[in-house]
Amino acid sequence: MRRSLTALAALLLSASAQAGSVSFADNPIVYFAVTDRFANGNPGNDHSYGRAADPQGGDVGSFHGGDIAGLTQQLKAGYFKELGVNALWITAPYEQIHGWVVGGKQQFQHYAYHGYWALDYTTMDANMGTREELREMIDIAHAQGIRVLFDVVLNHPGYADLRTLSEYKVPVLWPGHEKATLRDYHSYIDYNNFDFAQWWGPDWVRAGLPGYPDGGKDDFTMQLAYLPDFRTESSKAVGLPPILQRKSDTRAVALPDATVRTYLVHWLVDWVREFGVDGFRADTVKHVEPASWLALRAAATDALKDWKTRHPQQKIDDAPFWMTGEAWGHGPERSSWHDAGFDSMINFDFQNRAGGDWKSIDGVYRQYAGLLGKRIGNAPRYDILSYISSHDTSLFPRDRLKHGLSALLLAPGGVQLFYGDESARQPGAAPVGDEQQATRSDMNWSSLDAATLAHARKLGQFRLRHPALARGEHRFIDDKPYAFARAMDGDAVIAVPEAQGALELKVHGVFADGALLRDAYTNHTYTVSNGAVAVNAAGTVLLEKAAP
């Protein structure tokens, strides 16, 4: 049942919680940067491990040079701070397979620039930078109140690529493999050779190779996109995988009585314990059994607490470790994954609904606020992470980005801003068979759209100040122009997206007569009179109480 705006006002009489006292988990504003495509801070590491450009394939799947140093440069420039984000999600910086595999319909060389094809979870990928550069980046982010989240994969390591197999002397290659092309690549790998046991080994992965178990038929044991599938459910004690045993620069050491899960959790959590990583975005969640995610969450929580104890000057606060997960197709509803270690689940529902008119978007807002405010038994409160663009789906229409940014940054729940949505970054090439590569073009530093960026900054900073946008009770005010209020625990806002010109806005029950309000979009102030304010809108109205 919908309450009246008068009832909404009663919420403002409760304890006056301000944005500064609300935990990150109550209002996540996450910026996702594909590190390799974001900013090149150190050109000297661009071609690590012999990685090269792929001009014949349009360079769509090669490493482009973005790195941790580039993220640091933009942190120092205040780029993320100006956007109002409070967390930076980066692609996995640990070491990836060194070479390329066949991309699309034999169209391009596909390297692991995206961080999803791990080789060694314990070392930095040289294209991303050094451990010292990572430490500096995280420390600077923390000093600005910005958390750092790693993208992590428990489901699979990387493919068996020619370069990595050759470098670590797994004897399954035919002579001449150095000259392999997109069309004859696989002919240089002897897929019937039992010496593949010297790769990850059958105790570690399902791979459908000689001596290895085949992938299963359920989500947990299948081979996703022909990738080797970690046997995280196995209770068998294992040693280091053979490929790491012959890798001289690994930091991995044999652990007593350790399972595959034990090793993977240990390796990932070491980044938290050493650097103070604040959270994980977990990839392919539904392809790993819940027990593994719970083990990762528990160990990471302990590790971050330990790091904060040892680094009291570098920590942001005492908030616990935070995890969000990607389970393909997950919507805004609470699911069993929220009981498997995840504070939040990525919301695939919002992107396709954000482009509608404001009447339909208000229905989305009402639905989300209702779901997120509902308690189910003794279950803890849950959250979602909505987006309008993603590296896994598509980019929001570039000619409607202001609309999309407004829809996203005013939405209930956590939000994820994809790099370049704020600057109108254009899509790249979309090769047949892997059109999603188009979503991962280089950040458009030389052609930032000033108007779109200014719009995103105003919305982001407003959202950061007002947890009510994420967690408040949603109330429709008017449809011409569309206006809504959201309020919780002493924090209240009214938003009028895509509004122009002179307007009289009803604010009764949200702000009292005589209250001095500020439009955060124009920085103009107004006084409430007879339950309304007369404003002059310049594209959007974002009303908040003016500072005394």
Side-chain angles (χ1 to χ4, degrees):
M1 187 174 69
R2 302 180 70 180
R3 296 183 199 172
S4 67
L5 285 172
T6 302
L8 183 62
L11 293 171
L12 305 180
L13 300 176
S14 58
S16 58
Q18 301 300 316
S21 63
V22 173
S23 73
F24 164 74
D26 284 321
N27 189 21
I29 310 168
V30 181
Y31 189 98
F32 173 29
V34 176
T35 308
D36 174 70
R37 305 301 170 87
F38 188 68
N40 191 347
N42 180 10
N45 63 26
D46 288 0
H47 302 294
S48 303
Y49 315 111
R51 292 166 177 160
D54 174 28
Q56 287 189 328
D59 224 16
V60 66
S62 58
F63 280 82
H64 288 191
D67 49 27
I68 296 297
L71 292 169
T72 301
Q73 286 180 351
Q74 293 307 317
L75 279 164
K76 289 180 176 178
Y79 187 78
F80 304 108
K81 191 78 172 173
E82 286 185 275
L83 280 170
V85 300
N86 54 15
L88 177 58
W89 157 14
I90 65 172
T91 46
Y94 44 76
E95 190 173 350
Q96 304 294 301
I97 61 172
H98 292 177
W100 55 272
V101 296
V102 178
K105 302 290 186 180
Q106 296 184 325
Q107 291 169 289
F108 65 94
Q109 296 177 1
H110 195 170
Y111 286 88
Y113 70 87
H114 38 62
Y116 292 128
W117 298 340
L119 169 64
D120 188 342
Y121 285 85
T122 72
T123 53
M124 283 287 291
D125 191 280
N127 265 82
M128 295 296 100
T130 65
R131 298 177 88 86
E132 291 71 26
E133 288 171 329
L134 178 64
R135 196 182 319 277
E136 179 189 21
M137 186 272 285
I138 293 176
D139 284 349
I140 291 172
H142 284 172
Q144 296 181 14
I146 297 172
R147 287 164 166 79
V148 175
L149 316 175
F150 274 17
D151 212 331
V152 299
V153 186
L154 271 184
N155 181 62
H156 57 263
Y159 291 107
D161 69 290
L162 288 173
R163 180 181 291 276
T164 305
L165 290 171
S166 174
E167 286 181 0
Y168 295 103
K169 302 188 185 329
V170 181
V172 296
L173 303 181
W174 298 112
H177 60 83
E178 301 88 349
K179 299 178 181 178
T181 67
L182 289 166
R183 299 208 173 267
D184 62 13
Y185 187 96
H186 292 289
S187 68
Y188 287 101
I189 303 174
D190 182 1
Y191 287 109
N192 295 313
N193 196 326
F194 280 84
D195 282 333
F196 257 111
Q198 298 179 44
W199 182 46
W200 278 90
D203 287 339
W204 272 82
V205 299
R206 303 174 185 86
L209 293 166
Y212 284 77
D214 291 332
K217 298 185 182 303
D218 59 61
D219 280 341
F220 295 156
T221 61
M222 68 180 286
Q223 282 184 246
L224 186 65
Y226 303 103
L227 286 155
D229 183 66
F230 279 131
R231 301 180 66 179
T232 46
E233 82 295 342
S234 173
S235 60
K236 182 178 181 178
V238 296
L240 287 179
I243 195 166
L244 293 188
Q245 291 179 29
R246 54 168 59 91
K247 189 172 183 292
S248 61
D249 63 342
T250 187
R251 297 166 71 98
V253 297
L255 302 174
D257 300 318
T259 64
V260 172
R261 178 192 297 167
T262 305
Y263 275 102
L264 291 171
V265 167
H266 178 79
W267 292 340
L268 288 170
V269 164
D270 269 356
W271 296 98
V272 180
R273 194 176 303 279
E274 180 174 350
F275 297 96
V277 175
D278 300 279
F280 289 153
R281 178 270 185 187
D283 188 60
T284 55
V285 162
K286 70 178 181 180
H287 295 291
V288 179
E289 64 285 344
S292 287
W293 295 122
L294 286 165
L296 180 66
R297 172 57 184 264
T301 298
D302 289 344
L304 184 59
K305 184 177 180 181
D306 174 59
W307 182 87
K308 289 183 176 184
T309 299
R310 292 181 289 109
H311 298 85
Q313 301 304 313
Q314 284 78 39
K315 69 180 182 180
I316 297 175
D317 53 30
D318 290 320
F321 193 79
W322 186 84
M323 273 178 37
T324 190
E326 176 264 317
W328 191 264
H330 199 291
E333 298 83 8
R334 193 182 194 283
S335 76
S336 59
W337 291 116
H338 288 97
D339 298 318
F342 293 99
D343 301 272
S344 158
M345 292 299 291
I346 291 174
N347 175 26
F348 286 77
D349 174 73
F350 188 72
Q351 182 179 34
N352 292 330
R353 302 175 74 183
D357 60 25
W358 287 106
K359 180 179 180 181
S360 65
I361 291 173
D362 185 74
V364 177
Y365 287 174
R366 250 191 347 266
Q367 176 195 7
Y368 288 8
L371 287 169
L372 294 167
K374 187 186 301 181
R375 292 280 185 169
I376 301 176
N378 294 322
R381 188 169 61 180
Y382 80 101
D383 204 5
I384 55 177
L385 196 65
S386 299
Y387 63 87
I388 57 169
S389 295
S390 162
H391 66 315
D392 277 338
T393 56
S394 61
L395 298 181
F396 196 82
R398 303 288 95 174
D399 60 346
R400 302 191 66 219
L401 270 172
K402 282 190 175 181
H403 174 87
L405 288 164
S406 294
L408 176 68
L409 293 173
L410 296 174
V415 294
Q416 172 236 299
L417 187 63
F418 191 40
Y419 80 106
D421 272 359
E422 78 281 6
S423 60
R425 171 177 62 90
Q426 296 302 302
V432 176
D434 195 353
E435 291 81 359
Q436 290 165 349
Q437 296 296 329
T439 68
R440 309 166 191 176
S441 55
D442 290 341
M443 182 64 179
N444 57 321
W445 293 113
S446 63
S447 59
L448 302 178
D449 185 294
T452 304
L453 183 58
H455 182 68
R457 285 171 170 169
K458 290 174 181 178
L459 285 164
Q461 291 174 16
F462 183 70
R463 185 179 185 91
L464 183 64
R465 288 195 300 276
H466 295 291
L469 280 167
R471 283 293 178 183
E473 183 173 351
H474 177 79
R475 287 294 173 265
F476 171 85
I477 293 179
D478 207 342
D479 60 354
K480 293 182 180 179
Y482 171 62
F484 72 84
R486 229 167 274 154
M488 61 170 277
D489 297 337
D491 181 31
V493 296
I494 290 176
V496 193
E498 296 178 8
Q500 290 284 358
L503 303 171
E504 183 171 88
L505 296 176
K506 305 168 189 172
V507 301
H508 175 70
V510 184
F511 299 112
D513 279 0
L516 185 64
L517 305 184
R518 171 179 177 264
D519 177 3
Y521 204 82
T522 62
N523 204 31
H524 293 160
T525 55
Y526 305 97
T527 301
V528 179
S529 177
N530 295 322
V533 290
V535 304
N536 189 25
T540 297
V541 177
L542 302 172
L543 290 180
E544 61 188 359
K545 280 188 178 179

